[in-house]
Amino acid sequence: MKFAQIIDFETERIDEVRDLMRSYEEQARSQGRTGTPDSRTLLKDRANPNRYLAVVEFDSYEAAMANSKAPETNELAQQLSALMTRPPVYTDCDVQDRKTLG
């Protein structure tokens, strides 16, 4: 079953957050790491301009947990935390239904 994690965070340095996330993704691809996210969506709260939600999808819960234990992921989390104005809130979800419309 597909798995998604929603990361709710606030930052005034979103460009640096984006750069770190892209660098992590490129490194994972170049190293051929398995169990990495399938997709990532970054949402900005219209009512609170410094609040963002990152929706990260994985093949499975097990893949997500293996990814979270990787040293590279831990390093990324530490770097991202330094850019945030409050600790992130994580919500773990099983994907029940997903469809691309259009």
Side-chain angles (χ1 to χ4, degrees):
M1 174 179 288
K2 287 275 195 180
F3 175 81
Q5 186 171 68
I6 302 168
I7 308 162
D8 180 337
F9 65 96
E10 291 183 10
T11 185
E12 295 173 350
R13 301 165 66 181
I14 193 60
D15 290 335
E16 292 172 73
V17 168
R18 280 192 191 110
D19 289 345
L20 278 173
M21 289 169 41
R22 287 180 188 138
S23 175
Y24 170 82
E25 292 160 358
E26 289 171 12
Q27 180 184 23
R29 275 193 301 275
S30 71
Q31 292 176 348
R33 285 183 49 219
T34 60
T36 57
D38 292 341
S39 68
R40 173 183 50 81
T41 302
L42 183 62
L43 308 171
K44 182 177 181 177
D45 185 339
R46 293 181 69 100
N48 179 350
N50 291 329
R51 180 176 177 228
Y52 296 86
L53 300 168
V55 182
V56 185
E57 292 189 37
F58 295 85
D59 275 338
S60 67
Y61 172 79
E62 293 77 19
M65 293 304 102
N67 182 69
S68 74
K69 292 177 183 171
E72 300 88 352
T73 304
N74 185 46
E75 182 180 333
L76 172 68
Q78 290 177 1
Q79 292 172 334
L80 289 173
S81 289
L83 300 174
M84 295 179 185
T85 56
R86 67 161 168 81
V89 176
Y90 296 88
T91 304
D92 294 343
C93 306
D94 291 325
V95 178
Q96 297 293 300
D97 188 31
R98 183 171 188 252
K99 181 175 175 126
T100 301
L101 303 174

